[in-house]
Amino acid sequence: MSIAPGNELLRKHLDRLRSSPNETLLLDGGTGEKLFLRGVKDDRKIWSATAIVNVEYHGILEEVHKSFIDAGSQAITTNSYGITPGVGFTDGDEVKRLFGISGEIARRAATDGQDSVALVLGSLGPLVESYRPDLIMKHDDGVKKYRYPIEGLHPFVDIFLAETMSISDEACQVIDALSIFYNCQCQNQGEQSTLC
């Protein structure tokens, strides 16, 4: 596995995990439930994405991320799972912007001064609906749709996390989109680019 030169925290965790089968990486918990407990509106359509869409909740989201770190989490997950075409987020540039906000908030929470204190996992959920393999997009359409979340999260995350993929075809869309993105990054000598 290739690790970006500046990501010493990721390198440290990977080395530690490789050193013994008894090592673990403690992830965060249910961010959405914590947000609702702290007063974020429980919107059953976009769920916890409410905390990204509405700027008045950004501080609460950052506090929730920090609470997981304070409790011992070594990695936090961006609150981007619910930002999908399936619930009405269809404008690619808006999706990219919202994913970027989720990544930026998580990165702020995971940084103490100049040092990262926790890994940031970039959540890439299903594009249409969770647990509905019958609704997944055609492969090429899905790969194109994942472009926007990946571009939005890329500057802020240590690892991408494909969450709740119902079938391998759905996971392959994420893998192919990431592959295209990173191939374009290499071709453009690290400059941020759109998917080729």
Side-chain angles (χ1 to χ4, degrees):
M1 171 184 282
S2 175
I3 301 172
N7 200 329
E8 292 305 315
L9 184 61
L10 178 57
R11 184 180 318 281
K12 179 183 110 180
H13 282 300
L14 289 174
D15 288 346
R16 183 179 54 78
L17 291 167
R18 288 183 190 121
S19 72
S20 167
N22 297 323
E23 288 290 332
T24 61
L25 181 69
L26 186 60
L27 307 182
D28 56 0
T31 302
E33 291 304 316
K34 288 285 192 186
L35 288 168
F36 301 146
L37 288 171
R38 292 184 184 210
V40 172
K41 181 182 170 197
D42 187 353
D43 180 328
R44 290 294 158 164
K45 182 176 180 189
I46 64 172
W47 296 90
S48 65
T50 301
I52 299 298
V53 173
N54 297 296
V55 70
E56 67 265 25
Y57 298 133
H58 289 183
I60 295 171
L61 175 58
E62 187 171 344
E63 289 171 11
V64 167
H65 285 317
K66 286 180 179 180
S67 74
F68 286 120
I69 295 167
D70 292 343
S73 294
Q74 297 162 310
I76 57 173
T77 308
T78 60
N79 188 47
S80 50
Y81 183 90
I83 305 169
T84 68
V87 297
F89 295 100
T90 56
D91 178 281
D93 291 330
E94 180 67 357
V95 167
K96 178 180 174 179
R97 185 183 76 78
L98 293 171
F99 268 81
I101 291 169
S102 73
E104 184 177 12
I105 292 170
R107 177 53 62 200
R108 254 194 334 261
T111 304
D112 182 18
Q114 296 295 319
D115 299 323
S116 290
V117 295
L119 297 173
V120 176
L121 311 181
S123 176
L124 299 171
L127 292 171
V128 182
E129 191 173 327
S130 301
Y131 310 110
R132 292 295 308 269
D134 56 310
L135 297 179
I136 70 165
M137 295 181 178
K138 291 181 181 178
H139 184 80
D140 289 346
D141 295 338
V143 170
K144 288 175 187 170
K145 290 287 185 188
Y146 275 115
R147 140 193 196 175
Y148 302 103
I150 290 167
E151 288 180 355
L153 288 173
H154 176 257
F156 306 105
V157 302
D158 299 301
I159 301 170
F160 283 96
L161 178 65
E163 290 195 77
T164 321
M165 301 287 111
S166 297
I167 56 174
S168 59
D169 290 347
E170 195 168 29
C172 286
Q173 292 176 2
V174 174
I175 292 166
D176 287 352
L178 285 166
S179 177
I180 292 168
F181 178 79
Y182 282 106
N183 282 334
C184 291
Q185 290 289 307
C186 290
Q187 290 171 5
N188 292 314
Q189 299 175 350
E191 295 175 15
Q192 188 152 351
S193 66
T194 58
L195 289 176
C196 301

